[in-house]
Amino acid sequence: MAFTSLNHYLDLRWLHEAFLRTRKDGAPGVDGQTWIQYADNLEENLQSLLGRAKSGTYRAPPVRRVYIPKGTGKETRPIGIPTLEDKVLQRAVVMILESIYEQDFYDCSYGFRRGRSAHAALDSLWTQTMKTGGGWLLEVDIRKFFDTLDHGHLRTFLQQRVRDGVLLRLIGKWLNAGVLEDGCLSYPEDGSPQGGVISPLLANVFLHYVLDQWFAREVQPRLVGRAFLIRYADDFVIGFTHEDDARRVMEVLPKRFGKYSLAIHPDKTKLVPFRRPPHDSPPKGEPHGEQPGTFDLLGFTHYWSRSRKGNWVVKRRTAPSRFTRAVKKIAHWCRSNRHRPIGKQHRILSQKLRGHYAYYGITGNSIALSRFREEVRRVWRKWLGRRKRKNRPPWSWFIRLQERYLLPPAVAVHSVCRKRSEGIT
């Protein structure tokens, strides 16, 4: 059933809550207004915003486009930064729509949903691959999903559940808002800018109908064996127990996405044999030792390896591209901030390391965490040594320095053993 009246929830208290949920340190949009500046006259600003949103006179300002590195190469990702007022109104609309679509979304969807983090997706993937013994993993990459998202199909999907004129009109204005880049204003006909508050929800709605619902209702009932889907925003993998099922879906998937103006990247989409090796399988490197493939998802490389008890289990390590990118970011920061006091550098580097551990610190990834810490030590020592052109200090000097400014040790924050020892369930 579709909701025909929802905008009555959009009142002053609702906008005030949306404002409190908006990041205080977020980058400003084209108007340069910050959270603190907007809060100086909050009640009047929110009242004006509410009146314009309800009357239809609200005009969505252009988003400011910036580019961030996408990987280790020269490829970048475009990010659209809305104005602060636009973020507040988008957050208010998202708060309404989330209550509806959280009842519809499937369990396989994890991206940008409350209580469903990337680590929850990784845990689900691990559980299902262990349960099925692996099989065949279809690793899929959607080419420029956020840039090519079709507005017509998105409106059709939204109207299946939402027919409130005020909300649909606001969403239409955000989809048609201009993009300001290097002083030039353009109006793309497709896409939803990454960085917008409402973009993740719209992406989940779009892929809910294009992928999740199609897979659950039409694909799985026609398969010979078992299959599962794990999706985080536009990143997803599909696991199969039968190779024939996997190849059939791989063949039909580009047609399914092409029907909705999306394209599958032919080079980055691949079918990976990921069956659990036999118990008596010889170690890697020995003759006739058939080894399963590997695949990447959410910054981790997934592979089969022996546990301490000698059993085959799925392990995860930091993906090489993510590891290299993280080291390069640290090196760039150390180079740009080598003039700062050593104590301040140590404090910020420690924060960066803890942030890295907070995401990549999972069971089985301790070697990669330790390697990353050693790379940070090496890079820091390199740029500290270049603060003087002559008489660069030797390693012995840096080792003594480390006794006072010790970097945080590598910690598996999400380790199962760690959680058990701390009594976390």
Side-chain angles (χ1 to χ4, degrees):
M1 297 179 64
F3 290 85
T4 57
S5 179
L6 290 168
N7 71 86
H8 58 278
Y9 291 106
L10 201 63
D11 55 18
L12 199 59
R13 291 180 59 187
W14 197 271
L15 286 179
H16 190 271
E17 178 63 25
F19 173 77
L20 295 178
R21 295 188 185 187
T22 303
R23 286 183 55 181
K24 297 181 181 180
D25 58 346
V30 294
D31 60 355
Q33 190 175 44
T34 64
W35 193 92
I36 296 177
Q37 292 172 344
Y38 197 83
D40 289 340
N41 197 11
L42 182 59
E43 295 301 322
E44 184 177 337
N45 289 334
L46 293 181
Q47 190 67 57
S48 172
L49 177 61
L50 179 63
R52 285 177 284 139
K54 291 290 187 74
S55 65
T57 59
Y58 179 80
R59 298 184 63 182
V63 297
R64 181 170 63 90
R65 175 170 287 175
V66 298
Y67 291 88
I68 62 174
K70 191 174 183 179
T72 56
K74 297 182 179 180
E75 192 175 2
T76 58
R77 186 190 306 276
I79 300 294
I81 303 176
T83 63
L84 190 282
E85 188 172 64
D86 216 23
K87 293 178 184 177
V88 173
L89 189 55
Q90 287 187 27
R91 175 62 62 190
V93 173
V94 167
M95 288 161 55
I96 296 175
L97 297 182
E98 276 182 341
S99 301
I100 298 172
Y101 284 105
E102 280 300 320
Q103 317 304 317
D104 298 349
F105 288 157
Y106 288 82
D107 287 339
C108 62
S109 172
Y110 287 88
F112 305 105
R113 294 178 58 188
R114 192 172 300 177
R116 301 177 69 82
S117 64
H119 289 101
L122 292 169
D123 289 343
S124 178
L125 176 61
W126 185 90
T127 300
Q128 297 197 63
T129 49
M130 288 293 295
K131 183 178 180 180
T132 60
W136 294 82
L137 264 294
L138 181 56
E139 183 182 356
V140 185
D141 182 86
I142 305 176
R143 177 179 288 175
K144 297 183 178 180
F145 170 71
F146 282 93
D147 296 335
T148 59
L149 192 147
D150 186 86
H151 293 176
H153 290 303
L154 177 59
R155 290 189 178 95
T156 301
F157 294 148
L158 287 170
Q159 289 174 2
Q160 294 188 36
R161 293 289 274 151
V162 178
R163 294 181 186 171
D164 183 278
V166 172
L167 298 189
L168 291 178
R169 185 169 59 242
L170 287 173
I171 294 174
K173 290 181 178 181
W174 289 321
L175 291 175
N176 295 323
V179 175
L180 186 64
E181 181 180 357
D182 296 330
C184 298
L185 184 62
S186 61
Y187 293 90
E189 296 181 358
D190 297 314
S192 180
Q194 290 180 265
V197 176
I198 201 169
S199 294
L201 177 63
L202 297 181
N204 274 335
V205 171
F206 198 93
L207 289 177
H208 166 76
Y209 290 102
V210 173
L211 178 63
D212 302 351
Q213 185 171 278
W214 169 75
F215 182 78
R217 295 185 180 182
E218 299 185 32
V219 175
Q220 282 185 313
R222 292 178 169 86
L223 299 180
V224 176
R226 289 181 291 175
F228 63 87
L229 168 68
I230 301 293
R231 181 176 66 82
Y232 189 91
D234 60 327
D235 295 327
F236 67 94
V237 296
I238 308 176
F240 304 88
T241 56
H242 285 59
E243 181 181 359
D244 290 341
D245 290 339
R247 296 198 178 277
R248 287 169 55 200
V249 174
M250 186 178 183
E251 182 180 352
V252 76
L253 202 59
K255 302 175 184 177
R256 173 66 181 181
F257 277 75
K259 180 180 178 181
Y260 298 97
S261 304
L262 295 176
I264 300 296
H265 201 297
D267 298 328
K268 298 181 180 179
T269 299
K270 57 184 179 180
L271 186 61
V272 180
F274 200 70
R275 291 170 293 185
R276 179 191 287 120
H279 185 72
D280 57 350
S281 176
K284 185 177 181 181
E286 291 190 8
H288 310 295
E290 182 182 355
Q291 296 294 320
T294 65
F295 67 94
D296 291 349
L297 182 68
L298 297 177
F300 291 91
T301 297
H302 304 253
Y303 62 101
W304 285 100
S305 183
R306 297 277 191 180
S307 68
R308 292 183 177 180
K309 295 182 179 180
N311 300 319
W312 286 105
V313 296
V314 177
K315 292 189 177 182
R316 289 83 52 94
R317 61 173 178 263
T318 308
S321 60
R322 295 293 187 92
F323 187 92
T324 304
R325 184 173 66 181
V327 172
K328 285 186 175 181
K329 284 185 176 181
I330 293 290
H332 177 75
W333 186 90
C334 289
R335 178 182 180 181
S336 303
N337 295 272
R338 62 184 184 273
H339 61 281
R340 292 190 176 188
I342 294 179
K344 190 169 186 179
Q345 290 188 45
H346 170 259
R347 183 169 64 255
I348 297 177
L349 283 176
S350 298
Q351 293 174 354
K352 292 180 180 294
L353 273 173
R354 293 189 184 99
H356 186 88
Y357 300 157
Y359 184 78
Y360 292 101
I362 64 175
T363 301
N365 198 34
S366 58
I367 295 178
L369 294 180
S370 299
R371 279 184 55 224
F372 183 74
R373 182 178 183 272
E374 289 304 309
E375 286 294 319
V376 172
R377 289 181 68 242
R378 181 187 62 81
V379 168
W380 192 27
R381 183 256 176 186
K382 171 185 175 180
W383 290 108
L384 283 180
R386 294 194 179 185
R387 303 212 299 184
K388 296 181 180 180
R389 294 187 178 181
K390 297 181 180 180
N391 300 326
R392 294 180 181 176
W395 262 107
S396 57
W397 167 83
F398 185 71
I399 292 175
R400 292 194 301 270
L401 182 73
Q402 285 277 277
E403 294 177 357
R404 181 177 179 183
Y405 298 105
L406 184 65
L407 293 174
V411 176
V413 178
H414 302 279
S415 169
V416 176
C417 296
R418 179 184 176 88
K419 291 180 180 180
R420 288 174 180 172
S421 64
E422 295 177 353
I424 302 174
T425 57

